[in-house]
Amino acid sequence: MATLKDVAERAEVTVTTVSRVINNRGYISEQTRKKVFEVMKELNYQPNELARSLSKQRTNTIGIIVPHIVHPYFAKLISNLENAAANKGYKILLCNSKAKNEKELEYIEMCKSNRVSGIVLCSRNVDAAEMKNLEIPVITIERNLEAGTVGIECDNYQGGRLATEHLISCGCRNLLHISGIKNENMPADARAEGFTAVCGAHGVKHKVIQTTSRIYSTLDYHQYIRQAIEEAPGVDGIFASSDLIAAQTIQICAEMNIRIPEKIRLVGFDDVDIAKLTTPTITTIRQPVREMAEWAVEFIERSLNGEALPEQFKLPVSLVKRNST
Amino acid sequence: MATLKDVAERAEVTVTTVSRVINNRGYISEQTRKKVFEVMKELNYQPNELARSLSKQRTNTIGIIVPHIVHPYFAKLISNLENAAANKGYKILLCNSKAKNEKELEYIEMCKSNRVSGIVLCSRNVDAAEMKNLEIPVITIERNLEAGTVGIECDNYQGGRLATEHLISCGCRNLLHISGIKNENMPADARAEGFTAVCGAHGVKHKVIQTTSRIYSTLDYHQYIRQAIEEAPGVDGIFASSDLIAAQTIQICAEMNIRIPEKIRLVGFDDVDIAKLTTPTITTIRQPVREMAEWAVEFIERSLNGEALPEQFKLPVSLVKRNST
DNA sequence: GAAAATATGTCAAGCGGTTGACATACAAAA
DNA sequence: TTTTGTATGTCAACCGCTTGACATATTTTC
């Protein structure tokens, strides 16, 4: 492959001049600039980003660590992060931790080795202590981590409230909340709190059920949902902690011959594509994923500029009414 | 951050020795090795991959270019590619071309600048000529490209045949195929050919309908599917060219009060998660995505070793029976 | 006891760009 | 006429690591 030097020789200038053209520094005549660009095209030259990064001591790479890629929420998140990053000239190093602690750590090391500008951590929490001497900004999304990282999350509590209030306003009086993973100290736990609070305030019968991390790793909640419904006779409203769970709930209800929304009303969470692909479509709480992604990239940039960052950054959610309620 | 030199000084050896330890080259006593590792841990040292790559002239990075990330097929593909890559020590540079030609080209340049070991191109075809002087192995997945790249695809023709034969064996006599993008010369076109061939052989009434790339960019086929069904009265079997289209077909049928599988039997393509999340679940043609991803990585490695590669590599598909037929 | 294997060290070039310091032109402005 | 601004060139260090060449020990092995 052509190098800076090749370009310089061919254009009959010095490497310094070519470098000036590429980096837009110092004085360069329009003529020289043109000539250099011509030669670059001729030689099919592409500056070696490795060398540049090494020299400049920065990479414009953002590492993303997620526990799943096919999970529609993370797919959406990744997509939005890639987009936000690309808009600011960053590229994405994608890591799938498969919700395993050791893989997560490995990937963090990997990101570090590659001198990423920042890490967006969407995977479950490794020991926060591990993060301490990282020397790289870490932004978490919907994860608790504390140790000097920025935590971006949506207003989960409010989301729980909105969903529950909506169910109650639809006439439901016996609610079930199928929640995310137990014992993981996740921001999403607040969804259950919002749920419980509203049910309590309205004096509505309610029950919260939590999945295990074993289920999370396969993303197959069916058996679990069936059991939950069977053990909650008379339920007339379900608040699922993700659209994925909600979609599976629709299937179980179909199997059990329970009509949605006639017999049971259902609200999901996330507002990912799948909420629009089921029959009926899913009423859900919309996470502002695009904004969350944009802020993640923004915070990485700010951190690089030495600006102070918030410990926590919470974005508002909203209810999207569809056909499951 | 700590450097090789720091480690060497602290361990009271030379950088050469440390490098030998890290790269497992030459003679090193167990004692020295241990000492070096200790110091590395002490200093929280991570070798700078940029410098390594620059020096070694190879990166262990694979660029993936897809037209969509949230599309379940690509999400699955990305996930499998990441996994196959990680198993062989490669990392992933993720690029979302949004099905736009210019973005695709940009990303190819970007991959080149970053000296990726290879590019897995799942996006639509840029001008093949652009690929010629790339000096980087390019593997396409389900795309035609010719110009010295390896094309991995599943047996689309056979897939079309399997789906159609299945529908006919279920008793269907009036078939509709809702196909992928028109005028793009994609391997997936063979699905329609298989469909037509089998229908012809059985003397079954049939019709093929093609979507436009405008629809592909939003992934919302609803209107289009509705129109297709309305314009094909008496249809009793639909072969959709993706599970995503099949899922939307289920919704449209529900709206139109057409029961699946009683009135219309439906077969999808891909076998992605969504096929299991709809009601009814979708009978589909399974693409061996894992194998395709593994071969993609394998071919990149072989190319790096100077081994000759096939022009085309076709993998077998299979029918997965679910509840939509 | 000599050859071979093992275990380090020394030195320095190279990977491909970036960048600061400094020199040298020539033009336009004061 | 002197400044100042513009446009390049020259030189070389530096980013952090790899690697080949060569030297020098100490152990093993035959």
Side-chain angles (χ1 to χ4, degrees):
Chain A
M1 280 199 189
T3 70
L4 237 207
K5 212 172 142 194
D6 299 330
V7 175
E9 279 167 11
R10 184 91 166 238
E12 294 173 307
V13 293
T14 59
V15 291
T16 306
T17 304
V18 178
S19 175
R20 277 178 187 141
V21 170
I22 292 174
N23 295 292
N24 232 334
R25 286 178 33 245
Y27 296 117
I28 290 290
S29 67
E30 201 42 55
Q31 198 184 333
T32 308
R33 184 192 309 279
K34 221 171 130 188
K35 173 77 182 168
V36 169
F37 277 126
E38 266 170 29
V39 174
M40 278 170 49
K41 193 151 285 175
E42 257 178 67
L43 298 182
N44 199 9
Y45 171 78
Q46 285 294 126
N48 184 328
E49 276 300 325
L50 296 169
R52 284 186 104 177
S53 295
L54 180 58
S55 181
K56 286 196 168 177
Q57 302 274 65
R58 70 177 308 216
T59 54
N60 295 325
T61 302
I62 292 178
I64 301 183
I65 305 181
V66 293
H68 289 283
I69 295 178
V70 293
H71 189 303
Y73 175 67
F74 293 109
K76 186 174 180 182
L77 195 50
I78 294 169
S79 184
N80 279 275
L81 282 167
E82 197 278 342
N83 192 49
N87 286 342
K88 295 199 174 197
Y90 290 90
K91 41 193 179 296
I92 295 298
L93 203 56
L94 181 65
C95 311
N96 183 0
S97 73
K98 299 180 178 177
K100 286 182 196 145
N101 233 285
E102 77 271 14
K103 284 213 77 178
E104 194 173 312
L105 280 173
E106 249 174 57
Y107 276 127
I108 288 173
E109 304 275 82
M110 196 260 262
C111 284
K112 196 175 167 190
S113 276
N114 284 281
R115 301 299 190 263
V116 297
S117 301
I119 296 177
V120 179
L121 189 63
C122 319
S123 200
R124 67 213 255 239
N125 29 343
V126 301
D127 196 8
E130 308 273 1
M131 298 314 223
K132 281 287 186 192
N133 40 15
L134 202 54
E135 306 169 66
I136 289 180
V138 174
I139 316 289
T140 61
I141 295 192
E142 284 288 311
R143 306 287 136 163
N144 285 322
L145 209 63
E146 286 130 36
T149 66
V150 181
I152 296 181
E153 50 187 77
C154 70
D155 193 338
N156 288 287
Y157 182 78
Q158 178 63 10
R161 294 189 58 99
L162 282 178
T164 313
E165 277 163 4
H166 177 66
L167 285 170
I168 292 174
S169 80
C170 288
C172 302
R173 288 297 173 267
N174 186 350
L175 297 183
L176 177 63
H177 174 47
I178 304 181
S179 125
I181 305 167
K182 203 175 179 173
N183 292 334
E184 295 265 348
N185 181 27
M186 308 258 284
D189 294 344
R191 298 172 195 173
E193 290 167 25
F195 170 79
T196 310
V198 171
C199 287
H202 288 260
V204 161
K205 187 176 174 197
H206 61 283
K207 187 170 173 186
V208 172
I209 290 198
Q210 280 170 316
T211 55
T212 73
S213 61
R214 200 183 51 68
I215 292 180
Y216 183 61
S217 71
T218 63
L219 301 182
D220 187 352
Y221 299 87
H222 288 101
Q223 260 201 300
Y224 180 75
I225 295 167
R226 175 180 279 276
Q227 191 186 333
I229 294 178
E230 283 171 351
E231 289 175 3
V235 159
D236 56 6
I238 296 180
F239 168 35
S241 170
S242 73
D243 290 338
L244 188 61
I245 296 177
Q248 298 184 24
T249 302
I250 290 177
Q251 296 184 296
I252 295 298
C253 286
E255 279 176 23
M256 296 174 77
N257 260 317
I258 301 174
R259 299 183 62 193
I260 294 178
E262 291 80 358
K263 279 282 293 223
I264 290 185
R265 293 173 201 269
L266 174 68
V267 177
F269 207 101
D270 293 343
D271 191 25
V272 292
D273 282 3
I274 202 175
K276 282 179 268 184
L277 289 172
T278 52
T279 316
T281 53
I282 303 169
T283 294
T284 192
I285 303 296
R286 178 180 180 277
Q287 285 200 48
V289 173
R290 204 191 75 221
E291 288 79 0
M292 291 163 83
E294 283 167 355
W295 277 107
V297 176
E298 173 71 22
F299 284 139
I300 287 175
E301 269 206 317
R302 290 197 187 172
S303 167
L304 253 44
N305 297 335
E307 296 176 43
L309 302 182
E311 283 252 310
Q312 226 193 32
F313 194 78
K314 204 177 276 187
L315 286 122
V317 297
S318 55
L319 181 98
V320 179
K321 169 82 177 73
R322 294 209 180 84
N323 300 330
S324 66
T325 56
Chain B
M1 279 197 188
T3 70
L4 239 205
K5 212 172 143 195
D6 298 331
V7 175
E9 278 168 11
R10 183 90 167 238
E12 293 173 306
V13 293
T14 59
V15 291
T16 306
T17 304
V18 178
S19 175
R20 277 178 188 141
V21 170
I22 293 175
N23 296 292
N24 230 335
R25 284 177 35 244
Y27 296 117
I28 289 290
S29 68
E30 203 39 59
Q31 199 184 333
T32 308
R33 186 193 310 280
K34 219 171 129 187
K35 175 76 184 165
V36 169
F37 277 126
E38 265 169 29
V39 174
M40 278 169 48
K41 193 151 286 176
E42 259 178 64
L43 297 183
N44 198 9
Y45 170 77
Q46 285 294 125
N48 183 327
E49 275 300 326
L50 295 170
R52 282 186 105 177
S53 296
L54 181 58
S55 181
K56 286 195 169 177
Q57 302 272 66
R58 69 178 308 224
T59 53
N60 295 325
T61 302
I62 291 177
I64 301 182
I65 306 182
V66 294
H68 290 282
I69 295 178
V70 292
H71 188 304
Y73 175 66
F74 293 109
K76 186 173 181 183
L77 195 50
I78 294 168
S79 184
N80 280 276
L81 282 167
E82 196 278 341
N83 192 47
N87 286 341
K88 296 200 173 195
Y90 292 90
K91 43 193 179 295
I92 295 298
L93 203 57
L94 181 64
C95 312
N96 183 0
S97 73
K98 299 180 178 177
K100 286 184 197 145
N101 233 285
E102 77 272 13
K103 283 214 79 178
E104 195 172 312
L105 280 173
E106 247 174 60
Y107 276 127
I108 288 174
E109 304 276 81
M110 195 260 263
C111 284
K112 197 175 166 190
S113 276
N114 284 281
R115 301 301 189 263
V116 297
S117 301
I119 297 177
V120 179
L121 189 63
C122 318
S123 200
R124 67 211 256 241
N125 28 342
V126 300
D127 196 8
E130 309 273 2
M131 298 314 224
K132 281 289 187 192
N133 38 18
L134 201 55
E135 305 169 67
I136 291 181
V138 174
I139 316 288
T140 61
I141 295 191
E142 285 287 312
R143 306 288 137 161
N144 285 322
L145 209 64
E146 287 129 33
T149 66
V150 182
I152 296 181
E153 50 188 76
C154 70
D155 193 339
N156 288 286
Y157 182 77
Q158 178 64 10
R161 291 190 59 100
L162 282 178
T164 313
E165 278 163 3
H166 177 65
L167 285 171
I168 292 174
S169 80
C170 288
C172 301
R173 288 296 173 267
N174 186 350
L175 298 183
L176 176 62
H177 174 46
I178 303 182
S179 126
I181 304 168
K182 202 174 181 172
N183 293 334
E184 294 266 348
N185 181 27
M186 307 258 284
D189 294 344
R191 297 173 195 173
E193 290 166 25
F195 171 79
T196 309
V198 171
C199 286
H202 287 261
V204 161
K205 188 176 173 196
H206 61 282
K207 187 170 173 185
V208 172
I209 289 198
Q210 281 170 316
T211 54
T212 72
S213 60
R214 199 182 52 68
I215 292 180
Y216 184 61
S217 70
T218 63
L219 301 183
D220 187 353
Y221 298 86
H222 288 101
Q223 259 202 301
Y224 180 77
I225 295 167
R226 174 180 281 275
Q227 191 186 336
I229 295 178
E230 282 171 352
E231 289 175 2
V235 159
D236 57 6
I238 296 180
F239 169 34
S241 171
S242 74
D243 290 339
L244 188 61
I245 295 177
Q248 297 184 23
T249 302
I250 291 176
Q251 296 183 296
I252 294 298
C253 286
E255 280 176 23
M256 295 174 77
N257 259 318
I258 301 174
R259 299 184 62 193
I260 295 177
E262 292 80 359
K263 279 282 293 225
I264 290 185
R265 291 172 202 270
L266 173 68
V267 177
F269 208 102
D270 293 343
D271 191 26
V272 292
D273 282 4
I274 202 175
K276 283 180 268 183
L277 289 173
T278 52
T279 317
T281 53
I282 302 170
T283 294
T284 191
I285 303 297
R286 178 178 179 278
Q287 284 200 49
V289 173
R290 204 192 74 221
E291 288 80 359
M292 291 163 83
E294 282 168 355
W295 278 108
V297 176
E298 173 70 24
F299 285 139
I300 288 174
E301 268 206 317
R302 289 195 188 174
S303 166
L304 253 44
N305 297 336
E307 295 177 43
L309 302 182
E311 284 253 308
Q312 225 192 34
F313 195 79
K314 205 177 275 188
L315 287 122
V317 296
S318 55
L319 182 97
V320 180
K321 170 80 177 72
R322 293 209 181 85
N323 300 331
S324 66
T325 56

